[in-house]
Structures are given as C-alpha cells and as structure tokens.
C-alpha cells in the first residue's frame, strides 16, 4: 500500500434470502418452473441482533470536527439509507492517506492522491473535509469519472470555502459497484444538504458511518481519548474513526474506506510514516476473501485544536512513539470490525505465526493461511482439519513455478507446531507438535469451534519473528451475497 502525505458464538448475519418461483411455457407447451434468488440487507436497515454489540451507543469525538450523512439516492431504489457522508474540520488539517495498489484505481483514489501530494508540498495545511458516497464506486469510469470526483470536491469546497486556485481542500471517496458512472448531479445537489446536517454529537458521527456502508450489516465507528507525554496538564486528546467493508477485503487493502480524525497537534511531515506503520498492522493485516479492490482509501486528518506541542517527525520523540501506539491500536480495533462483518461470516479468526526467521515470512505465512478457502470452509463447518492449516503454511513461501525453493529458512517441518487457542480462557489444544500429529480430542475441538472467536497459532521454531492476521470463515451466505450483488 502506498502512503501519500499529507464470548458466545454469534449467529450468521440475518440475511434476506428468498426464492421466487416463476413459470415459463415452452414452445412445446411444457410448463417449466424456475427459481431466482434475492439477497438484501435486513428489512428497514435493521442491524442483526448478533452485531448490535459492536455498535457504540455513545462516543467522545475530536474537537473541531463535525460529521453527518444524508440520503441522495445514488442507487435509484435507495430512498431510506444515508448514502452521502461528510466529515469537516473547523480549520485546515494536516492530512495523509493510504490507497489501494490495485492497478485499476478508481477516480476518487487518483484525485485524492494528487490532492494530498499538493497539500504535502505546501507550507500550511489545506485539507478540511472528506466527502464519501456509497452505492457506486466510480471505478473504471475513464475521464468522466475523474471529472465526477473533481465535481464532488468542488461542491464540498463551495460549502467549506477552503479551496484554492491550485487545489481542492476535500478528499473524496466512493464505494459500490465498479464500472458505472456516478449520478453526479444527485450527489452535487446533495452536498449542501449534508453540509447543513453536520454536527459533533454521537448521532451525527453514527449517521456518517451508516452512510458509507454497502453490504455491511452494521456501521463501524470508534472513538477514544488519550494523552501525550508533552501535553500540558489537563489536556486530553481525542481520536475517532469510521470504516466500511464486508467483502472484497484483502491488503492492499480492500473495498474498504476509512477516515480517522484527531484533535492532536501532529506535524504534516510526521503523518505519512505514522499512518503507514499503523495501517500495516491493522487494515493491511485483515482479509475476508483475498480480493483487493479498486477504491481502498484510509485517511488521517489532524486539526490540532486541542492544543499542546506539535508532534514532530521524529521516531525517537516520546510524543511520536506514544501517538504511534495509540494510532496503531485504534486502527487495529477498527479494522477488526470489518472482519467481524465479513459477508456471511460466523467466526472471527486470529492467525498468529510465531518463531519465524523473518517478519516478512511470518506475515506471508499468516496471510496465506487466512486466505485459504479450504481453511475458511473447514472453520465454518467446525471441522478441526489442521491439515489444511499445515498445507497453507507449507506453500506460503513458494514463489513462481520453476523457482528454486531450496532456501525456505522459516519453515522446517520437524519444528512446526499448530494449535487452537480458545478465547474462553481454557487450555490450548495442540494439533501438531514438532511435526508430529497429536491425537486430537474431536469433542474438545468441536467445543472450541463453537465459539465465535478463535485463534490459530503456528509456531515455526526457526526464529524469533512473528505476525498476526485477522480473518473469518466462508459460509453459504458469502456465495449468495456475491452471486446476487448486482442483480
């Protein structure tokens, strides 16, 4: 990914799945019955009961920021769900973002990357708002798509009054179906409406988080307070973040959008490295289905309105290190909500690879296990099929066919261990010990796999490095959702 500067088992998501019968009379007079499937989010935009625990009922939001969302009808059949979101700072912000590495990058990605490049080259902050639509990705839409992204930014700038002749002050994001042009007039006409709706309450932020959802079953919003070593006595900082994503999720990064905002005083020069470090350990460490989208964007805005010394671009600075920890932990928790809302998912799975000879190898192995359809379907079936985990571990470091694979220092079959770590506090269930299979207690394994949360631990025994990925299982519902996505 490039950086640009600036408890109990949950039930499967409540899906609206119906079969509609239709009859057709052929030319021979034979009557044939057929069935079509339709997937829809819960009726009335309701949040499934099993997911309500992830939606905050209150929050503490950064000073000087306002958020909101309204319905503009990006999709013609949408008349009730907010689909245009806006986040605005009272003052220009230091800003940075990470974007997808997919070669087919959506127009808002191209537009926002260039905007942030210009902002970073300036001598003062210029970014003041983020405008996001759901329902249409504005991806693979040619020159017209770029014009639409620019039109979104101009409409936002007209409300905030922060653009300059050289560049906009608005980061734009879009999510939804690829290959279709935006109904740009609906969006442009809706910008004054969403700007008027802005506020700083929890409900305002939650509405904005709802407006960026597509197949998500719940809005993903978090907020935290924190302090920094050099902050004056009594000064407390705040950070808030929202994200969306439920499918087409894999680094770098996913059909995933995110906005992080803080009132801490961060230098523009420090933001890119701070953000990259945190994203590599959060949004770049999740996968649902192994697909990297065209629109991935996570932006960080810092307006400094809470006061205090500016955090310098110095990794040795106590303030820099403290904020790095805050940002990384916060981003990881936010990213994990995406996995918990994986399309059709019933399990949240932590893949931890330890004792590797390099961090890169540990990360690649963890990613490979997390993406394996065979591992993921076994988890859905509550099958302790550790052979699939071992298989994915074994092929993770293989490169192209015909390459010399004699040197794979992180993997030694007779030193590899695989275990399930229950999340209820009970004992580890060892499946493979130093390359030798254990006599697995299938009853105990089934009990562990009944839990919503599970950790798979792979110890390689060849070094001291480790990596963690978060993923989910594959269910029948995943196929239904994606089979019916456009229709």
């Amino acid at each position: 990914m490039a950086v640009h500067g600036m408890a109990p088992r949950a039930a499967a998501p409540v899906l609206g799945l119906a079969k509609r019968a239709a009859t057709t009379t052929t030319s021979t007079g034979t009557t044939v019955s057929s069935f079509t499937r339709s997937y829809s989010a819960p009726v009335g935009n309701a949040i499934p009961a099993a997911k309500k625990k992830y939606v905050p009922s209150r929050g503490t939001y950064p000073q000087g920021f306002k958020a909101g969302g309204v319905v503009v009808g990006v999709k013609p059949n949408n008349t009730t769900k907010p689909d245009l979101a806006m986040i605005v700072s009272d003052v220009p912000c230091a800003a940075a973002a990470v974007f997808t590495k997919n070669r087919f990058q959506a127009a808002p990605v191209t537009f926002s990357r260039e905007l942030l490049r210009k902002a970073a080259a300036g001598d003062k902050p210029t970014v003041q708002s983020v405008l996001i639509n759901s329902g249409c990705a504005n991806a693979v839409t040619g020159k017209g798509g770029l014009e639409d992204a620019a039109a979104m930014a101009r409409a936002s700038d007209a409300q905030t009054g922060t653009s300059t002749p050289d560049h906009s002050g608005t980061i734009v994001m879009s999510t939804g179906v690829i290959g279709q042009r935006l109904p740009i007039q609906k969006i442009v006409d809706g910008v004054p409406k969403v700007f008027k709706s802005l506020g700083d309450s929890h409900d305002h932020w939650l509405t904005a988080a709802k407006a960026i959802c597509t197949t998500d079953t719940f809005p993903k919003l978090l907020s935290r307070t924190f302090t920094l070593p050099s902050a004056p006595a009594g000064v407390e900082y705040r950070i808030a973040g929202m994200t969306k994503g439920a499918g087409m999720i894999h680094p770098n990064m996913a059909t995933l959008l995110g906005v992080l905002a803080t009132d801490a005083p961060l230098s523009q020069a420090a933001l890119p490295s701070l953000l990259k470090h945190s994203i590599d350990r959060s949004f770049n460490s999740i996968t649902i289905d192994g697909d990297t989208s065209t629109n991935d964007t996570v932006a960080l805005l810092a307006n400094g309105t809470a006061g205090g010394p500016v955090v310098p671009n110095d990794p040795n600075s106590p303030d820099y290190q403290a904020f790095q920890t805050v940002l990384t932990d916060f981003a990881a928790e936010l990213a994990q909500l995406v996995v918990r809302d994986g399309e059709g998912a019933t399990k949240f799975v932590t893949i931890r690879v330890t004792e590797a000879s390099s961090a890169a190898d540990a990360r690649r192995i963890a990613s490979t296990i997390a993406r394996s359809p065979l591992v993921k379907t076994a988890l859905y079936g509550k099958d302790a099929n550790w052979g699939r985990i071992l298989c994915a571990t074994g092929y993770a470091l293989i490169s192209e066919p015909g390459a010399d694979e004699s040197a794979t220092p992180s993997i030694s079959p007779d030193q590899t261990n695989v275990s399930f770590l229950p999340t209820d506090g009970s004992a580890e269930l060892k499946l493979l010990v130093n390359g030798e299979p254990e006599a697995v207690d299938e009853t105990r394994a089934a009990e562990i796999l009944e839990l919503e949360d599970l950790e798979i631990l792979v110890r390689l025994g060849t070094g001291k490095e480790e990596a963690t990925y978060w993923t989910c299982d594959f269910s029948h519902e995943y196929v239904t959702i994606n089979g019916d996505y456009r229709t």
Side-chain angles (χ1 to χ4, degrees):
M1 180 187 314
V3 176
H4 298 266
M6 2 234 143
R9 177 179 179 270
V14 180
L15 307 178
L17 176 60
K19 286 187 176 181
R20 298 190 300 273
T23 58
T24 304
T25 302
T26 68
S27 58
T28 62
T30 303
T31 299
V32 178
S33 295
S34 61
F35 292 87
T36 59
R37 221 174 32 203
S38 66
Y39 166 80
S40 62
V43 176
N45 300 320
I47 297 170
K51 307 289 179 153
K52 288 182 178 179
K53 60 188 175 184
Y54 303 121
V55 182
S57 59
R58 58 186 177 274
T60 305
Y61 299 96
Q63 299 178 41
F65 281 98
K66 294 182 176 65
V70 297
V71 181
V72 299
V74 173
K75 284 188 174 182
N77 62 350
N78 175 41
T79 59
T80 59
K81 175 191 171 297
D83 54 3
L84 185 65
M86 195 176 199
I87 300 95
V88 175
S89 171
D90 293 344
V91 297
C93 303
V98 291
F99 299 100
T100 180
K101 286 185 178 178
N102 192 308
R103 296 299 296 270
F104 290 95
Q105 298 186 352
V109 169
T110 301
F111 177 89
S112 296
R113 179 190 290 110
E114 179 63 13
L115 178 151
L116 288 169
R117 185 189 67 79
K118 291 180 178 179
D123 57 359
K124 60 181 181 179
T126 57
V127 176
Q128 198 161 343
S129 59
V130 182
L131 184 67
I132 310 169
N133 77 271
S134 61
C136 178
N138 191 13
V140 197
T141 46
K143 293 181 179 179
L146 283 171
E147 292 169 358
D148 290 344
M152 287 177 63
R154 284 195 303 271
S156 177
D157 293 339
Q159 300 300 311
T160 61
T162 56
S163 65
T164 70
D166 296 332
H167 56 81
S168 167
T170 301
I171 295 170
V172 294
M173 304 181 192
S174 298
T175 183
V177 176
I178 294 170
Q180 297 178 3
R181 288 284 298 274
L182 290 171
I184 190 60
Q185 200 57 51
K186 284 185 178 181
I187 294 174
V188 169
D189 290 347
V191 170
K193 181 181 176 183
V194 70
F195 185 78
K196 186 177 180 180
S197 79
L198 298 177
D200 58 10
S201 73
H202 173 70
D203 286 344
H204 286 98
W205 280 87
L206 188 60
T207 300
K210 291 176 179 178
I212 69 176
C213 293
T214 50
T215 60
D216 307 60
T217 66
F218 68 91
K220 300 161 184 65
L221 174 69
L222 292 176
S223 61
R224 295 287 183 272
T225 60
F226 62 97
T227 60
L228 295 174
S230 297
V235 171
E236 183 179 67
Y237 300 113
R238 301 174 179 184
I239 186 170
M242 64 182 70
T243 188
K244 64 81 50 184
M248 198 180 282
I249 303 291
H250 183 69
N252 296 289
M253 284 179 323
T255 182
L256 180 152
L257 303 180
V259 181
L260 309 174
T262 182
D263 52 18
L266 302 171
S267 66
Q268 176 61 56
L271 254 64
S273 58
L274 285 166
L275 186 60
K276 183 180 187 305
H277 181 278
S278 67
I279 295 300
D280 283 347
R281 292 155 180 79
S282 58
F283 287 100
N284 260 359
S285 293
I286 63 174
T287 186
I288 288 176
D289 47 25
D291 273 309
T292 296
S293 178
T294 55
N295 288 59
D296 309 341
T297 306
V298 175
L300 171 62
L301 279 66
N303 65 11
T305 57
V310 174
V311 177
N313 184 26
D314 177 8
N316 294 318
S317 160
D319 283 347
Y320 183 103
Q321 294 172 355
F323 184 75
Q324 184 72 90
T325 299
V326 168
L327 182 63
T328 301
D329 292 347
F330 184 80
E333 188 172 350
L334 195 59
Q336 288 169 28
L337 291 178
V338 175
V339 177
R340 290 192 179 280
D341 200 22
E343 289 173 340
T346 69
K347 296 191 184 304
F348 176 85
V349 185
T350 299
I351 310 291
R352 191 155 60 94
V353 175
T354 66
E355 300 177 11
S357 59
S358 76
D361 283 357
R363 183 173 177 81
R364 187 168 171 182
I365 292 167
S367 172
T368 302
I369 297 169
R371 284 181 287 125
S372 167
L374 291 179
V375 171
K376 292 158 77 69
T377 51
L379 292 171
Y380 174 66
K382 305 171 193 171
D383 179 7
N385 194 339
W386 59 265
R388 294 181 176 182
I389 300 169
L390 193 67
C391 182
T393 301
Y395 68 69
L397 302 182
I398 297 175
S399 55
E400 296 300 320
D404 179 9
E405 304 299 338
S406 59
T408 53
S410 277
I411 297 178
S412 174
D414 61 0
Q415 293 177 281
T416 302
N417 296 261
V418 179
S419 298
F420 285 161
L421 295 186
T423 55
D424 62 0
S426 57
E428 170 184 358
L429 179 63
K430 296 180 179 181
L431 307 170
L432 184 77
V433 177
N434 293 327
E436 296 289 338
E438 292 288 285
V440 178
D441 182 341
E442 296 290 349
T443 300
R444 177 67 185 127
E447 291 172 351
I448 294 171
L449 291 169
E450 279 290 336
L451 301 172
E452 178 184 0
D453 287 20
L454 168 71
E455 180 174 329
I456 296 172
L457 174 63
V458 178
R459 300 183 183 93
L460 298 174
T462 57
K464 297 181 179 180
E465 301 296 332
E466 64 179 77
T468 300
Y469 252 70
W470 296 284
T471 190
C472 59
D473 55 349
F474 265 162
S475 69
H476 303 288
E477 286 83 359
Y478 177 85
V479 177
T480 299
I481 292 166
N482 285 282
D484 293 339
Y485 184 69
R486 287 204 315 147
T487 55

